[in-house]
Amino acid sequence: MFLIPKINCIYQSNEGLIQKKEVINVELKKEKEGWVIVPYNQVIYHLFIEDFLNTSVYGTSDNLNIRRFEVITNYLNIDEWINRKNNNEIEKLLQAYSLQINNNNLLTIQIEYFKINEEDLSNLQQYISLQSFQLIEYFNKCQNGLIYSIQTLKQLLLFYLNKTITLQQLIDVKIINDTPLSIWRGFLLDCFRHYFTIDFIKKLLNLLSFYKFNIIHWHLTDDQGWRMESKIYPNLNTIGSKRKLRKDEENLINNNYFVNIVDNNYIYGNYYTTKEINEIVNYCKQLGILVILEIESIGHCSSLLAFYPELKCSSNHLNNEKVTVKNTWGIFNEILCPGKEETFKFLENLLNEMFTINFKDLTFVYIGGDETNFECWKNCKDCKKKMIELNIYDVNNLDISLKKLYIYFIKELINICKRSKKIMIGWDEILEQLINYNIEFTDCKVEEFSKYCIIQSWRGVSLPNITNDQYIIQSPVSHCYLDYDISTINVKKSLFFNPFNNLQSKVIGGECNCWTERMITEEKVQEMILPRVLSISEALWKCPSIAEDVDLNNNYYYNFLDRLQFHKIVFIEKIFNFKCGPECNTVWVELTKEMEIKINLIDIHDMNQDIYYQVEEDENNKIVKYLKPIKIQPKSKNLKIKSFVKRNDYNFGKMDQIFTISFHQAIYCPVEMEIFKCNNDKSILFEEFKLSQPKFCGGPLQMQTLVNGIRGEANKIFDEIGNIQWFGFESVKRVIIKLDKLHSINYNELIIGCLHDPINWIFIPDLINIYIKLEDESIFTASSERKEQNLKNWNIDLENEETREVVDWIIHLNNFKIKTIEIEIIAHNNSYLPQWHSSCKSKEELSWFFLDQIMLY
């Protein structure tokens, strides 16, 4: 049996759905190893299986041979656009990248499937001619409609031509309505923290085009490197693209990842030449993707200031510090000085060079504007002079004056973009400051701002007080940050991302962000973005969280998972040859009071999941299907169990889930807590504490999480069922934990599991004191310092931000029979962020400590 697609052109109007009578008839022919669709007007779409990514489009008809970028640039006349009160030019501009034609008529590609029997194969050509493919008629208005149609056809043909997928598995898919709800479907690629080759970027672009993304937000400059060639300021790329290699990047040394030795130091970095950038821009044109560059223009400018220090602030305590290209992450003090006219001349020269050489066809430019630290503006004589000139200097409200100076900086950047006839895009801090500190002199008030700038929101899917005319791109950290682990953002969460979220402003779509702090290699990028790129693609195209046909009881999600499994096998792994990461965490483990090990599904409603496990101590190394709780006599203190899930007989979710179970003697004993916050000398009890910090308070087990036998994982401080591995303390200077009703046996060792993860502001405590009441009513006390423990047991670099370790704090006992034990834990630096930390900007920033188990042996 064959599955034959038929494509109809549908217009949606106020009168409802009307099927167009005019169609483009086509023939479907088998050639070599692929199908070729040949419309009678000689527009040919090559769909060869082995080379399908290089689809060619040939046109002999004038109305089908349209150059898309001419259409786009003709839409925009900045001056006319800004002066119109009732205009929809930006809708027209952006709709040139989507299937939308105008506000009244939305074009839909509707694909139906027909079955024919194998014995009718000889009549296949005649059958298809009779049924015909009704392709899109409006290609003369939008080439991207053609591109999206081809991608849909590629997917369909490959599904039933690829032998790994049976026809029956595709029967359930009946109709696809291929019209996007979001006209901005973006992907941010961070190449400033880590450099990726042109070949890899092209490979990634092929994938993005295949799943109908139409924007690539190419982030090439920041504190950690300048990756774009500049002829007028060559130090930016020749020197600013290099930085010291980090300890966690040492595996790049022997793998040809742009590492050199300079003055006995490993130096990492590279940049993209003008030729290479143009190559990517032109490649994207063929794929229907718009390239938009981000040049950081206020903060995050260390790689610029390292070699052009005359653009930083003068006459302040930071001025004598040499700026370097950073090899750590965070927010840094060095930003551009708005008090110097040279700053704006430099930026305008730089942007004009970019517009005339690399991005002359393009309309938008990102200027950053996020995470700006105003510290170095405070004592700068040039900034003070500028604020006095603008009549915004108030020595009694200097912080507000500095935020108004920030708005002045934004206004100057807008003027630069206007002179080049470009639309500026910036992060949501711009709009936040403008709303809170709108001032007369800027001629850029909130109600006028939408004419000059599009805002990209990363801190949440809603912003207060946004005007109805403000254009917004949504990329919230809660749903769209692909550098976050699946414990925080899994496939289901990203699938139900709703960029519109009842905002009154003009949301034009969304964007997923691939920040590469911890994506050192191309393989790691693949594993982190996939398969969540597919769920975000569907969210931006269809927005299932607001679609009428979504069953909120998971049916839509499970249907998506069924489709996703096929895409992983056929497209991601076989065709694109990408490595795909997990969809989600799938299981959690508990040790019952009867000392049985239970492996539980996180998603208890999905009937298609089966659990398998393997016990480390099993001499036969058997993989067993989980059917009932496991009763086992461990041979050591700790037992490791590896568990994974198959869904519909395919691997699903995280495959290397290893759980460590500690069979200690304090399991499920009574636990009490007395907690002392940083700002209060009086203690509070657990019930009050969890109201202020519910997220890391032990989940359903609450305090008994500390004695449940399940060890914590360094890379998993948050889990989907309520944090049963870690107990976290934020802004707590000390805590007293009491264990009671212990077994009447002799104890030799107390072990307290701690997490050290400075990049996430989590530190091992400084000191642990214990107070033990023995069965004979005598008292034993002991103290143990962090430095001593590190020398004896850990041997880790406690001031390296990239260190991430679970460590055991060990205190030896003297074969005691213990009645109760009190453990006093003193936070590192009294729970304030230490000064050596790159994110420490003041003495008031608070940190965490995390415990997983308190174990007695």
Side-chain angles (χ1 to χ4, degrees):
M1 182 144 328
F2 264 70
L3 198 65
I4 304 299
K6 172 187 175 184
I7 302 181
N8 299 307
C9 175
I10 304 292
Y11 277 96
Q12 182 175 329
S13 65
N14 294 332
E15 292 76 33
L17 286 176
I18 302 173
Q19 182 166 334
K20 294 287 290 183
K21 295 181 180 179
E22 299 82 12
V23 299
I24 301 175
N25 293 317
V26 300
E27 301 176 66
L28 185 66
K29 292 182 178 180
K30 187 74 162 55
E31 287 189 8
K32 297 181 181 178
E33 298 180 18
W35 295 86
V36 179
I37 303 172
V38 187
Y40 293 148
N41 61 5
Q42 300 304 307
V43 179
I44 301 173
Y45 315 101
H46 286 283
L47 297 169
F48 294 113
I49 303 304
E50 76 280 5
D51 194 31
F52 83 102
L53 291 176
N54 295 320
T55 300
S56 299
V57 181
Y58 302 97
T60 58
S61 174
D62 289 338
N63 69 326
L64 291 173
N65 190 17
I66 290 296
R67 287 173 291 182
R68 163 175 159 272
F69 281 86
E70 287 186 0
V71 176
I72 293 165
T73 53
N74 287 340
Y75 272 134
L76 184 64
N77 182 313
I78 287 286
D79 294 331
E80 290 182 11
W81 180 51
I82 290 173
N83 292 328
R84 288 183 191 169
K85 292 183 179 179
N86 299 314
N87 67 81
N88 61 354
E89 289 299 312
I90 196 164
E91 284 95 345
K92 291 181 181 179
L93 174 69
L94 293 171
Q95 286 163 9
Y97 301 98
S98 75
L99 289 178
Q100 301 186 31
I101 299 177
N102 55 50
N103 292 333
N104 298 320
N105 296 310
L106 297 179
L107 183 104
T108 297
I109 309 170
Q110 186 182 74
I111 301 173
E112 301 174 358
Y113 296 89
F114 299 90
K115 304 175 201 175
I116 60 172
N117 295 322
E118 290 186 12
E119 55 268 24
D120 294 332
L121 287 179
S122 59
N123 298 321
L124 175 62
Q125 181 60 56
Q126 181 181 358
Y127 176 85
I128 295 206
S129 295
L130 290 173
Q131 295 292 340
S132 79
F133 279 54
Q134 300 175 353
L135 292 177
I136 299 176
E137 183 190 34
Y138 82 111
F139 291 159
N140 61 323
K141 295 184 179 179
C142 176
Q143 182 178 322
N144 269 26
L146 169 61
I147 291 172
Y148 302 146
S149 304
I150 291 175
Q151 303 295 13
T152 300
L153 287 171
K154 287 178 185 176
Q155 294 180 25
L156 297 174
L157 291 170
L158 283 168
F159 263 135
Y160 72 84
L161 291 175
N162 191 291
K163 295 180 181 179
T164 60
I165 305 299
T166 65
L167 174 64
Q168 190 59 44
Q169 290 171 317
L170 293 175
I171 293 297
D172 293 336
V173 182
K174 300 297 183 185
I175 297 177
I176 300 173
N177 290 321
D178 220 2
T179 301
L181 292 180
S182 298
I183 56 179
W184 187 288
R185 301 179 303 283
F187 181 94
L188 181 150
L189 179 61
D190 161 14
C191 289
F192 64 85
R193 292 190 178 102
H194 289 103
Y195 174 91
F196 302 105
T197 65
I198 291 294
D199 287 343
F200 172 73
I201 293 174
K202 285 184 176 181
K203 186 178 177 183
L204 176 61
L205 290 167
N206 289 334
L207 177 83
L208 296 174
S209 176
F210 192 66
Y211 289 105
K212 302 176 184 176
F213 284 85
N214 60 354
I215 304 290
I216 179 76
H217 176 171
W218 202 7
H219 204 323
L220 293 181
T221 78
D222 212 287
D223 294 306
Q224 293 78 25
W226 188 281
R227 305 267 178 247
M228 183 183 73
E229 182 181 21
S230 173
K231 304 291 187 183
I232 58 175
Y233 301 115
N235 282 345
L236 286 173
N237 54 271
T238 57
I239 306 175
S241 62
K242 308 293 194 303
R243 61 171 172 79
K244 286 185 178 180
L245 193 73
R246 295 158 51 86
K247 186 176 181 180
D248 62 327
E249 298 169 336
E250 289 178 353
N251 63 319
L252 302 179
I253 294 172
N254 299 318
N255 292 292
N256 194 30
Y257 263 85
F258 318 106
V259 178
N260 297 291
I261 299 176
V262 179
D263 296 331
N264 296 320
N265 292 312
Y266 285 110
I267 302 299
Y268 169 85
N270 201 0
Y271 65 92
Y272 302 100
T273 65
T274 298
K275 181 180 178 182
E276 288 173 324
I277 292 174
N278 276 311
E279 183 180 346
I280 290 297
V281 171
N282 291 327
Y283 192 77
C284 285
K285 288 181 181 180
Q286 300 171 25
L287 297 175
I289 294 176
L290 173 66
V291 182
I292 307 177
L293 180 69
E294 177 162 353
I295 291 185
E296 291 286 357
S297 304
I298 304 180
H300 289 298
C301 289
S302 297
S303 62
L304 186 159
L305 292 172
F307 305 101
Y308 296 95
E310 64 273 17
L311 301 180
K312 67 176 182 176
C313 290
S314 57
S315 299
N316 66 66
H317 64 288
L318 297 171
N319 188 52
N320 295 326
E321 298 180 10
K322 179 176 172 56
V323 183
T324 60
V325 182
K326 307 303 181 188
N327 73 338
T328 57
W329 325 127
I331 304 172
F332 303 97
N333 287 322
E334 303 95 344
I335 63 176
L336 293 172
C337 179
K340 297 178 178 179
E341 290 303 316
E342 309 94 274
T343 298
F344 301 106
K345 291 177 182 177
F346 184 98
L347 290 173
E348 184 153 21
N349 290 340
L350 190 64
L351 289 169
N352 284 340
E353 180 189 24
M354 181 188 73
F355 295 148
T356 56
I357 297 177
N358 295 330
F359 292 84
K360 57 186 176 182
D361 291 328
L362 306 186
T363 306
F364 305 97
V365 60
Y366 278 92
I367 56 83
D370 59 311
E371 299 180 325
T372 302
N373 187 338
F374 303 133
E375 189 66 26
C376 57
W377 289 358
K378 282 186 177 180
N379 301 308
C380 173
K381 62 180 183 181
D382 296 307
C383 290
K384 180 179 179 180
K385 181 179 178 182
K386 178 58 70 174
M387 286 187 285
I388 293 173
E389 175 189 327
L390 296 170
N391 197 27
I392 59 173
Y393 184 73
D394 184 349
V395 69
N396 297 317
N397 293 287
L398 188 55
D399 287 343
I400 293 178
S401 297
L402 294 173
K403 290 174 180 179
K404 292 181 177 181
L405 183 61
Y406 171 85
I407 297 172
Y408 163 76
F409 204 137
I410 295 299
K411 171 217 164 185
E412 291 302 306
L413 289 172
I414 287 174
N415 287 334
I416 291 172
C417 291
K418 283 172 61 180
R419 286 193 288 271
S420 295
K421 297 190 181 300
K422 306 297 177 184
I423 297 173
M424 190 179 90
I425 308 175
W427 296 98
D428 59 39
E429 285 92 336
I430 296 174
L431 190 60
E432 178 186 48
Q433 301 299 344
L434 191 66
I435 290 171
N436 292 334
Y437 304 102
N438 188 36
I439 45 183
E440 294 293 332
F441 79 91
T442 62
D443 74 10
C444 187
K445 298 179 183 178
V446 176
E447 60 269 20
E448 300 292 321
F449 186 70
S450 61
K451 298 177 181 179
Y452 302 91
C453 183
I454 297 172
I455 289 296
Q456 183 155 342
S457 171
W458 67 276
R459 293 179 297 174
V461 293
S462 63
L463 290 170
N465 303 320
I466 299 176
T467 66
N468 292 343
D469 294 327
Q470 179 60 59
Y471 290 98
I472 300 288
I473 303 161
Q474 294 281 20
S475 59
V477 67
S478 59
H479 291 75
C480 297
Y481 272 44
L482 300 181
D483 56 317
Y484 280 32
D485 184 78
I486 54 168
S487 298
T488 305
I489 303 175
N490 58 25
V491 160
K492 183 176 184 179
K493 189 169 187 179
S494 56
L495 176 67
F496 290 105
F497 164 50
N498 176 8
F500 303 100
N501 199 45
N502 300 319
L503 282 182
Q504 294 181 347
S505 58
K506 296 181 179 178
V507 174
I508 57 179
E511 192 167 288
C512 54
N513 295 351
C514 177
W515 302 109
T516 61
E517 292 100 322
R518 293 168 188 85
M519 301 185 205
I520 298 174
T521 64
E522 294 169 354
E523 291 76 14
K524 185 65 175 177
V525 172
Q526 297 171 29
E527 293 171 0
M528 290 299 290
I529 70 171
L530 291 167
R532 290 179 291 181
V533 157
L534 277 69
S535 53
I536 293 177
S537 167
E538 180 137 341
L540 294 176
W541 192 272
K542 187 174 182 180
C543 202
S545 63
I546 61 173
E548 294 180 1
D549 62 345
V550 172
D551 184 343
L552 296 181
N553 295 320
N554 290 320
N555 286 346
Y556 185 91
Y557 170 59
Y558 297 145
N559 174 270
F560 176 80
L561 290 182
D562 293 340
R563 290 184 281 122
L564 179 60
Q565 284 184 307
F566 301 142
H567 278 256
K568 284 176 61 177
I569 296 168
V570 178
F571 301 139
I572 295 175
E573 296 172 357
K574 187 171 182 179
I575 301 298
F576 288 100
N577 194 27
F578 268 29
K579 292 184 178 180
C580 192
E583 296 88 345
C584 57
N585 292 313
T586 53
V587 298
W588 61 283
V589 167
E590 63 177 317
L591 182 64
T592 69
K593 294 181 179 180
E594 292 76 29
M595 296 296 108
E596 291 183 328
I597 301 169
K598 291 181 68 176
I599 309 177
N600 307 287
L601 286 172
I602 291 175
D603 188 346
I604 60 175
H605 301 292
D606 189 350
M607 298 294 105
N608 294 321
Q609 295 186 30
D610 296 305
I611 302 172
Y612 294 82
Y613 71 94
Q614 185 178 24
V615 179
E616 185 183 61
E617 293 183 354
D618 184 0
E619 296 177 355
N620 298 320
N621 203 29
K622 291 188 299 184
I623 296 176
V624 182
K625 186 173 183 177
Y626 179 80
L627 299 173
K628 62 181 181 179
I630 307 163
K631 191 74 173 178
I632 194 168
Q633 293 296 327
K635 299 176 183 178
S636 59
K637 293 178 181 178
N638 296 317
L639 176 73
K640 291 184 183 296
I641 286 186
K642 180 179 180 180
S643 182
F644 63 93
V645 164
K646 286 185 176 288
R647 188 176 188 280
N648 297 326
D649 294 325
Y650 292 103
N651 292 341
F652 176 70
K654 192 172 183 180
M655 299 303 293
D656 57 348
Q657 296 178 95
I658 299 175
F659 299 92
T660 302
I661 299 145
S662 175
F663 292 87
H664 58 84
Q665 299 302 317
I667 288 179
Y668 290 118
C669 73
V671 180
E672 296 177 8
M673 273 188 199
E674 198 174 353
I675 300 159
F676 296 82
K677 302 279 283 186
C678 287
N679 56 359
N680 197 337
D681 291 331
K682 294 183 179 180
S683 65
I684 59 174
L685 298 179
F686 171 75
E687 293 300 323
E688 182 180 350
F689 175 67
K690 74 176 183 180
L691 293 175
S692 62
Q693 183 204 293
K695 192 172 184 181
F696 295 104
C697 286
L701 293 177
Q702 301 190 52
M703 289 181 287
Q704 282 203 314
T705 290
L706 292 170
V707 290
N708 69 351
I710 307 300
R711 297 304 310 267
E713 300 172 59
N715 295 316
K716 192 177 179 183
I717 63 172
F718 178 82
D719 59 60
E720 293 87 339
I721 60 162
N723 303 97
I724 61 165
Q725 290 190 0
W726 289 104
F727 201 106
F729 299 88
E730 182 189 25
S731 66
V732 172
K733 59 185 176 184
R734 69 186 181 106
V735 61
I736 298 173
I737 302 172
K738 181 180 179 181
L739 306 187
D740 200 359
K741 296 183 181 179
L742 299 169
H743 297 295
S744 182
I745 60 174
N746 294 331
Y747 295 100
N748 296 305
E749 202 171 49
L750 169 68
I751 300 177
I752 302 168
C754 306
L755 177 64
H756 192 60
D757 186 11
I759 198 71
N760 288 312
W761 300 19
I762 300 169
F763 302 90
I764 299 171
D766 276 345
L767 178 70
I768 293 182
N769 301 312
I770 62 170
Y771 308 88
I772 296 176
K773 186 176 183 180
L774 305 180
E775 286 193 346
D776 62 4
E777 301 297 324
S778 61
I779 303 296
F780 172 82
T781 64
S783 294
S784 177
E785 294 183 350
R786 180 167 90 151
K787 184 177 180 180
E788 171 195 4
Q789 286 284 328
N790 192 33
L791 288 173
K792 287 182 178 179
N793 302 317
W794 311 330
N795 192 29
I796 61 175
D797 186 353
L798 294 173
E799 294 190 2
N800 181 354
E801 290 186 22
E802 292 305 310
T803 302
R804 179 177 289 170
E805 297 277 353
V806 177
V807 300
D808 285 344
W809 195 301
I810 302 172
I811 299 176
H812 296 288
L813 308 175
N814 296 323
N815 208 28
F816 292 140
K817 284 190 176 181
I818 299 174
K819 189 173 183 180
T820 62
I821 181 169
E822 287 188 1
I823 303 162
E824 181 185 34
I825 300 171
I826 310 298
H828 178 56
N829 199 38
N830 283 320
S831 201
Y832 290 102
L833 202 62
Q835 288 188 346
W836 57 262
H837 198 281
S838 65
S839 296
C840 183
K841 308 304 177 189
S842 71
K843 297 180 180 180
E844 305 300 319
E845 290 165 308
L846 298 168
S847 63
W848 296 74
F849 65 91
F850 274 69
L851 309 177
D852 71 331
Q853 284 295 287
I854 299 175
M855 298 162 279
L856 281 167
Y857 294 100

